[in-house]
Amino acid sequence: MNNSGQLQIYRSCEPVVDTRYDPDDMQALLEVLVEALADAGGVPATELPPLYDTIDVEAITDLFGGDSRASDRTLVGFSVENWNVFVRGDGRIRICDERKVVEPVPVFERSSA
């Protein structure tokens, strides 16, 4: 925990994509994740493995969308091939390349928006 009593989650991989999901926009969270993973890999989205094989897409969509959306401090992480994906309750999405190891640092700085 940090000095304010909040849990701090660290990453040890280099970020390659930072994007944002806005639940009030028409674009679904799944679409944003697929586009971000395609950007990270430099491939068309059609060449990605199905996310349904890796994560519970409905659970993440329910957690971060709709009327009962997660708090800004909520953070979910999962891996797809060599990508570590972090989704924060305020809509931030960060994808890191696990092959590019760095010294551990917070996934998201507390003050970042």
Side-chain angles (χ1 to χ4, degrees):
M1 291 208 180
N2 62 22
N3 291 339
S4 67
Q6 294 180 352
L7 181 64
Q8 187 70 270
I9 307 297
Y10 287 78
R11 63 173 170 78
S12 58
C13 52
E14 183 177 310
V16 293
V17 172
D18 281 305
T19 191
R20 182 173 291 279
Y21 163 68
D22 183 351
D24 297 326
D25 283 348
M26 295 300 293
Q27 190 174 25
L29 174 58
L30 180 59
E31 292 175 34
V32 176
L33 287 171
V34 167
E35 287 177 8
L37 284 163
D39 286 348
V43 297
T46 56
E47 292 185 20
L48 293 174
L51 285 184
Y52 289 98
D53 292 346
T54 306
I55 60 170
D56 185 337
V57 173
E58 285 183 34
I60 287 182
T61 301
D62 288 346
L63 180 64
F64 290 104
D67 296 332
S68 61
R69 81 180 114 189
S71 78
D72 287 353
R73 296 184 313 187
T74 302
L75 179 65
V76 171
F78 58 91
S79 295
V80 177
E81 294 186 337
N82 58 292
W83 309 111
N84 292 327
V85 181
F86 303 97
V87 182
R88 196 166 79 172
D90 65 357
R92 290 190 66 195
I93 298 171
R94 173 164 282 164
I95 298 179
C96 298
D97 187 340
E98 71 180 21
R99 299 168 299 181
K100 297 179 180 178
V101 178
V102 298
E103 290 295 317
V105 294
V107 171
F108 296 106
E109 292 301 322
R110 193 169 52 103
S111 61
S112 296

